[in-house]
């Protein structure tokens, strides 16, 4: 594609909150175009790099997954603070998706059901401070931070992600072609 | 006004109409698509979804309820009207629980297809996450009210075509909801049948046939290759959904 | 079951077992049982041979019909902004505390429930509440205490002190209507002397325009109904005075009903209708008995019934239909739906009621004040009437003045009076804003107080709410936004969903979490609701808010955060339930402010 001869590479960060990594798999689905992408971009925090924190000066932050727990909120805030453009990728980030199907239940009832209904009747809801606590509901990310762009799909196809990224990097308003526009 | 028929213009294009036609039916007959959800070629105008928002001689209105009249200047394909429609779609999406990846209607759902065609990228507003029920009591069909958009097509079909009066709209405001007319309130205790008109009119995935699942592969579904603005013109013309 | 059926029988008989009277039947039934129980629902459905879902569609639509027990004493606090300004919220909290109750929940012993309801039309003598449909006015902490005592002692309502329920007229300025002495039959006889066409000509000369707010020429409406094809015709008086801050119809109904009913009879004379309905809002149930008494008296005096005032073939009578808590029924087609025993969802217009109204027959729907004016025109004549007011707005307008002023009440002026004049007359020296026309009207600020009350300038159905400088416009905006979210009928998407979104955004701004993001969203929704809603309720739902956002921009902006976005819920509180279950309170078990 028409890679701009930028003085520095575009920095991209990615993260999965409450999601299935399907959107990240789609990112890998751009296949050999990954090579073209790394010509013009480098990855900051991402499951692809294993960098643990999103550093300052990131151009594009891609967020997959919904907000399910306290850690998700910390990661999202870190991305919002460090990314020029924050992008909600996939159904979960955009409207809660599959994780949000728990919203019809009280989170306390869910925890009790999962951890307390042991045969001996003892409560086993874990209290380890290392474990992030669940939010009362699952939230789409735009309920908590401002989001600049949305790429729908479950997951969005590799083509959709490629079209979006090349549009954005190329300075065009990102726009998906009809066959790339999917909520499923 | 329209006794003799005549013509009006729609975004500058001359549209001929027959007596009794609305702007929407006349446009459809002429091969021009105006977005809509609650309007159906087999039923009288209803006017609740408001997706067919147009301006007629500069005044706001609904294409599905306004009778065509000679000389009207109708606007439909404008950025302003598409913006209204997009926001109305976002309202419908946040009002219910529309989880497309898990819905068997996906790919042939009019709500979803309009969202694609009008490029609704996100629901934008705060999700209501309402508590709505699923009724799987009927042997052949299930009701998933999470997806209901209150278009009342099932209400109208069951009452006016099937003569069964199985569905009704109750509640008001955001508490509006469809109820089932049986002592238990469940579909399984009605005489709802697969041959009913009400079984085929739901534009979304609120009334679905059991044991079908995701029968059609992704890519081959009704709206996978072409937008609803093209597909429905073919579908609606003969006066049938499918 | 036997008890239910024996109680139902006279009610069904009174309503001729007619399913179109379903709303009336349910109201009367609820008067006896306190709520529509599953047994009552089944009995009514079977007696009328209708689907029980038809009953559900009413009980779940009308706020004052209950499909769950609400107690022997059902207390509803009026929730208009003027009641709030007079301290209603604190009084309700006091009552809840004294009765050890939660708002909206029935007490454990099934004795009492306390909740809010939309404006009950007692703004000039608020704060007010309804107890089992009876209005108690001028509430104070002392009065709340007394009421709680009576409830705890289970004292029947008819043994409560009468003064609790006194409703004042508060006529502060009288003109043509409010100053007229009652002369039974005068209007009818005067019109009969002119003949139907002769009186219609007078009405045309008077240039009377509808007082419900839209200002449609009355003579044209009556003539259209007369000329529309149809075997029967109907006259409907819209006494569903639900616009927050409006209470002038209440006074006309309370003290000038003779003139109103004569006005309806004149509509019958002109259109040929033989039947009239008074659609009375449920909140005014206490007026029903005196209104029925007036009707009886008029029948005795041959001013209603057959051959009225001796005129051969002039037959007209009036039936009172009760509403049950739905503002949208003030919209004329929703009102007709309600008259037909259905939920009040507005119809598609056209066709208009003058050709396709009640049961599909040509129907005139007029506001209370319009019909009183018609009666006055019969007496004074069209030309004399037209000399009052302005050229385009003839006659007088009754304003319901409430809020921050010394003398709230009714002010009848010839059209054309300035807002400043009204403010001077009602004793309001330090005014920040006036809300004209209720929650669906315009908000005027001091530089606009030279504006005139007239169809060509500031049209109004009659509300005139005064806000002192110290008042917070955002509180009024919030009150209106929640009012519309509560009163939206739910038929069309923009109003059903949009009004709830708007209420949420205003709450967010009021709570100090809103940003320019929400402010701009509100502006966008303002335009979308106005352009795409099905009826006037949705189209006007954001008018006042739009006005306020423009005219009190600094007040709004002071509330907006400088950050570009903030969640509208407390993230730390969202962890509370999980914290409790895990038994944790360490630092990582909390979410602080954003970085």
């Amino acid at each position: 594609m028409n890679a701009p001869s930028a003085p520095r590479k575009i920095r991209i960060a990615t993260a999965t909150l409450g999601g299935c990594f399907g959107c990240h798999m789609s990112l890998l689905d751009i296949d050999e175009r990954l090579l073209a992408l790394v010509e013009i971009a480098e990855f900051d925090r991402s499951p692809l790099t294993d960098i643990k924190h999103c550093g300052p000066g990131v151009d594009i932050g891609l967020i997959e997954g919904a907000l399910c727990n306290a850690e998700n909120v910390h990661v999202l805030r870190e991305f919002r603070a460090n990314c020029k453009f924050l992008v909600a990728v996939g159904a979960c980030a955009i409207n809660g998706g599959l994780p949000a199907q728990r919203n019809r239940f009280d989170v306390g009832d869910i925890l009790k059901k999962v951890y307390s209904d042991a045969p001996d009747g003892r409560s086993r809801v874990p209290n380890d401070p290392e474990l992030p606590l669940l939010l009362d509901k699952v939230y789409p990310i735009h309920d908590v931070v401002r989001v600049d762009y949305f790429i729908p799909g479950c997951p969005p196809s590799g083509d959709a992600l490629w079209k979006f990224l090349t549009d954005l990097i190329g300075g065009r308003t990102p726009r998906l072609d009809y066959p790339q526009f999917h909520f499923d | 006004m329209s006794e003799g028929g005549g013509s009006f213009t729609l975004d500058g294009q001359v549209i001929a109409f027959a007596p009794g036609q609305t702007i929407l039916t006349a446009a459809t007959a002429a091969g021009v698509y105006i977005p809509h959800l609650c309007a159906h070629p087999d039923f009288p105008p209803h006017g609740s979804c408001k997706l067919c928002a147009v301006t007629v001689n500069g005044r706001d209105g609904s294409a599905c309820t306004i009778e065509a009249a000679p000389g009207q200047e109708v606007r439909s394909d404008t950025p302003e009207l598409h913006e209204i429609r997009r926001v109305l779609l976002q309202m419908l999406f946040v009002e219910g629980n529309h989880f497309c990846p898990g819905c068997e209607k996906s790919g042939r759902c009019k709500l979803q297809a309009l969202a694609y065609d009008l490029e609704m990228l996100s629901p934008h507003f705060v999700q209501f996450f309402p508590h709505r029920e699923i009724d799987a009591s009927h042997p052949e069909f299930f009701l998933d009210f999470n997806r209901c958009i209150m278009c009342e097509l099932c209400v109208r079909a069951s009452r006016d075509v099937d003569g069964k009066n199985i569905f009704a709209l109750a509640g008001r405001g955001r508490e509006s909801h469809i109820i089932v007319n049986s002592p238990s309130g469940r579909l399984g205790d009605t005489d709802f049948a697969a041959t009913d008109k009400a079984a085929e009119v739901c534009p979304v995935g609120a009334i679905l046939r059991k044991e079908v699942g995701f029968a059609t592969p992704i890519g081959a579904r009704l709206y996978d290759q072409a937008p609803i603005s093209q597909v429905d013109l073919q579908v609606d013309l003969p006066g049938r959904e499918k | 079951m036997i008890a239910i059926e024996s109680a139902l029988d006279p009610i069904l008989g009174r309503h001729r077992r007619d399913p179109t009277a379903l709303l009336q039947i349910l109201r009367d039934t609820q008067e006896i049982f306190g709520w529509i129980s599953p047994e009552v629902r089944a009995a009514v459905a079977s007696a009328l041979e209708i689907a029980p879902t038809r009953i559900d569609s009413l009980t779940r639509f009308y706020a004052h019909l209950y499909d769950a027990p609400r107690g022997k004493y059902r207390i509803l606090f009026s929730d208009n902004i003027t009641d709030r300004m007079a301290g209603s919220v604190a009084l309700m909290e006091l009552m809840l505390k004294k009765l050890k109750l939660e708002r909206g929940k029935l007490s454990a012993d099934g004795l009492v429930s306390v909740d809010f309801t939309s404006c009950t039309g007692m703004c000039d003598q608020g704060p007010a509440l309804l107890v089992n449909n009876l209005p108690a006015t001028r509430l104070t902490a002392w009065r709340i205490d007394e009421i709680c005592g009576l409830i705890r002692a289970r004292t029947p309502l008819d043994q409560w002190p009468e003064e609790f329920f006194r409703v004042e007229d508060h006529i502060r300025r009288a003109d043509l209507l409010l100053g007229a002495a009652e002369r039974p039959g005068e209007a009818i006889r005067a019109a009969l002397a002119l003949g139907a066409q002769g009186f219609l000509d007078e009405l045309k000369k008077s240039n009377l325009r509808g007082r419900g707010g839209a200002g449609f020429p009355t003579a044209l409406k009556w003539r259209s109904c007369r000329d529309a094809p149809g075997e029967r015709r109907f006259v409907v008086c819209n006494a569903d005075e639900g616009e927050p801050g409006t209470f002038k119809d209440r006074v006309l109904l309370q003290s000038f009903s003779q003139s109103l009913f004569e006005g309806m009879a004149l509509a019958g004379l002109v259109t040929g209708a033989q039947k009239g309905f008074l659609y009375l809002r449920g909140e005014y149930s206490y007026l029903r008995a005196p209104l029925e008494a007036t009707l009886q008296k008029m029948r005795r005096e041959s001013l209603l019934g057959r051959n009225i005032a001796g005129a051969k073939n002039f037959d007209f009578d009036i039936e009172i239909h009760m509403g049950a808590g739905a503002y949208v029924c003030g919209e004329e087609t929703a009102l007709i739906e309600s008259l037909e025993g259905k939920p009040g969802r507005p119809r598609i217009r056209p066709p208009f009621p003058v050709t396709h109204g009640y049961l599909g027959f040509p129907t005139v729907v007029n506001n209370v004040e319009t019909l009183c004016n018609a009666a006055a025109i019969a007496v004074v004549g069209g030309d004399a009437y037209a000399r009052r007011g302005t050229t385009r707005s003839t006659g007088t307008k009754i304003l319901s003045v409430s809020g921050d002023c010394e003398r709230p009440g009714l002010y009848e002026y010839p059209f054309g009076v300035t807002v400043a004049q009204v403010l001077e007359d009602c004793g309001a020296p330090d005014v920040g804003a006036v809300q004209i026309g209720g929650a669906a009207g315009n908000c005027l600020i001091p530089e606009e107080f030279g504006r005139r009350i007239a169809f060509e300038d500031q049209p109004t159905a009659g509300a005139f709410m005064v806000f002192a400088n110290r008042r917070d416009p955002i509180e009024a905006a919030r009150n209106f936004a929640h009012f519309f979210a509560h009163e939206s009928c739910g038929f069309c998407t923009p109003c059903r969903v949009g009004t709830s979104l708007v209420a949420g955004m205003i709450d967010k701004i009021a709570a100090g979490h809103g940003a320019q993001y929400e402010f701009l969203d509100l502006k966008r929704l303002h335009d979308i609701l106005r352009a795409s809603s099905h009826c006037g309720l949705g189209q006007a739902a954001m008018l006042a808010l739009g006005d306020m956002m423009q005219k009190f921009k600094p007040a709004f902006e002071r509330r907006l955060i400088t950050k570009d976005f903030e969640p509208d819920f407390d993230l730390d509180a969202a962890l509370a339930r999980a914290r409790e279950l895990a038994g944790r309170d360490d630092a990582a078990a909390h979410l602080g402010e954003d970085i």
Side-chain angles (χ1 to χ4, degrees), chain A residues 31 38-39 63 79 91 125 142:
Chain A
D31 296 332
V38 294
E39 287 287 311
I63 295 283
F79 266 66
V125 177
H142 69 263

PDB file of all heavy atoms in Angstrom, chain A residues 31 38-39 63 79 91 125 142:
ATOM      1  N   ASP A  31      -2.136 -11.503   7.235  1.00  0.00           N
ATOM      2  CA  ASP A  31      -1.137 -12.355   6.582  1.00  0.00           C
ATOM      3  C   ASP A  31       0.113 -11.579   6.142  1.00  0.00           C
ATOM      4  O   ASP A  31       0.647 -10.800   6.908  1.00  0.00           O
ATOM      5  CB  ASP A  31      -1.765 -13.099   5.384  1.00  0.00           C
ATOM      6  CG  ASP A  31      -2.862 -14.050   5.852  1.00  0.00           C
ATOM      7  OD1 ASP A  31      -2.784 -14.522   7.003  1.00  0.00           O
ATOM      8  OD2 ASP A  31      -3.794 -14.291   5.076  1.00  0.00           O
ATOM      9  N   VAL A  38       4.768  -3.623   9.231  1.00  0.00           N
ATOM     10  CA  VAL A  38       5.923  -3.353  10.091  1.00  0.00           C
ATOM     11  C   VAL A  38       6.948  -2.461   9.386  1.00  0.00           C
ATOM     12  O   VAL A  38       7.851  -1.919  10.029  1.00  0.00           O
ATOM     13  CB  VAL A  38       6.597  -4.655  10.614  1.00  0.00           C
ATOM     14  CG1 VAL A  38       5.650  -5.392  11.536  1.00  0.00           C
ATOM     15  CG2 VAL A  38       7.053  -5.541   9.473  1.00  0.00           C
ATOM     16  N   GLU A  39       6.834  -2.317   8.074  1.00  0.00           N
ATOM     17  CA  GLU A  39       7.671  -1.328   7.369  1.00  0.00           C
ATOM     18  C   GLU A  39       7.387   0.074   7.880  1.00  0.00           C
ATOM     19  O   GLU A  39       8.293   0.894   8.019  1.00  0.00           O
ATOM     20  CB  GLU A  39       7.370  -1.362   5.864  1.00  0.00           C
ATOM     21  CG  GLU A  39       7.896  -2.573   5.137  1.00  0.00           C
ATOM     22  CD  GLU A  39       9.415  -2.510   4.977  1.00  0.00           C
ATOM     23  OE1 GLU A  39       9.912  -1.455   4.539  1.00  0.00           O
ATOM     24  OE2 GLU A  39      10.090  -3.503   5.339  1.00  0.00           O
ATOM     25  N   ILE A  63      -8.244  -1.593  20.994  1.00  0.00           N
ATOM     26  CA  ILE A  63      -8.754  -2.292  22.172  1.00  0.00           C
ATOM     27  C   ILE A  63      -9.775  -3.328  21.755  1.00  0.00           C
ATOM     28  O   ILE A  63     -10.791  -3.019  21.140  1.00  0.00           O
ATOM     29  CB  ILE A  63      -9.426  -1.300  23.157  1.00  0.00           C
ATOM     30  CG1 ILE A  63      -8.418  -0.305  23.724  1.00  0.00           C
ATOM     31  CG2 ILE A  63     -10.127  -2.077  24.274  1.00  0.00           C
ATOM     32  CD1 ILE A  63      -7.513  -0.862  24.802  1.00  0.00           C
ATOM     33  N   PHE A  79      -4.318   3.139  28.085  1.00  0.00           N
ATOM     34  CA  PHE A  79      -4.350   3.329  26.625  1.00  0.00           C
ATOM     35  C   PHE A  79      -4.870   4.732  26.281  1.00  0.00           C
ATOM     36  O   PHE A  79      -4.311   5.417  25.443  1.00  0.00           O
ATOM     37  CB  PHE A  79      -5.231   2.257  25.970  1.00  0.00           C
ATOM     38  CG  PHE A  79      -4.455   1.060  25.511  1.00  0.00           C
ATOM     39  CD1 PHE A  79      -3.828   0.233  26.425  1.00  0.00           C
ATOM     40  CD2 PHE A  79      -4.327   0.763  24.155  1.00  0.00           C
ATOM     41  CE1 PHE A  79      -3.096  -0.868  26.014  1.00  0.00           C
ATOM     42  CE2 PHE A  79      -3.595  -0.335  23.719  1.00  0.00           C
ATOM     43  CZ  PHE A  79      -2.984  -1.156  24.647  1.00  0.00           C
ATOM     44  N   ALA A  91     -17.072  -6.619  18.588  1.00  0.00           N
ATOM     45  CA  ALA A  91     -18.376  -6.497  19.252  1.00  0.00           C
ATOM     46  C   ALA A  91     -18.251  -6.225  20.749  1.00  0.00           C
ATOM     47  O   ALA A  91     -18.964  -5.377  21.289  1.00  0.00           O
ATOM     48  CB  ALA A  91     -19.193  -7.763  19.013  1.00  0.00           C
ATOM     49  N   VAL A 125     -15.324 -17.716  47.345  1.00  0.00           N
ATOM     50  CA  VAL A 125     -15.048 -16.591  46.445  1.00  0.00           C
ATOM     51  C   VAL A 125     -13.633 -16.127  46.751  1.00  0.00           C
ATOM     52  O   VAL A 125     -13.331 -15.766  47.878  1.00  0.00           O
ATOM     53  CB  VAL A 125     -16.049 -15.430  46.658  1.00  0.00           C
ATOM     54  CG1 VAL A 125     -15.704 -14.256  45.760  1.00  0.00           C
ATOM     55  CG2 VAL A 125     -17.473 -15.899  46.388  1.00  0.00           C
ATOM     56  N   HIS A 142     -16.678   2.618  25.389  1.00  0.00           N
ATOM     57  CA  HIS A 142     -17.030   4.043  25.263  1.00  0.00           C
ATOM     58  C   HIS A 142     -17.909   4.531  26.416  1.00  0.00           C
ATOM     59  O   HIS A 142     -18.223   5.704  26.504  1.00  0.00           O
ATOM     60  CB  HIS A 142     -17.667   4.355  23.895  1.00  0.00           C
ATOM     61  CG  HIS A 142     -19.035   3.778  23.707  1.00  0.00           C
ATOM     62  ND1 HIS A 142     -19.248   2.590  23.054  1.00  0.00           N
ATOM     63  CD2 HIS A 142     -20.258   4.209  24.077  1.00  0.00           C
ATOM     64  CE1 HIS A 142     -20.536   2.319  23.032  1.00  0.00           C
ATOM     65  NE2 HIS A 142     -21.178   3.294  23.651  1.00  0.00           N
TER      66      HIS A 142
END
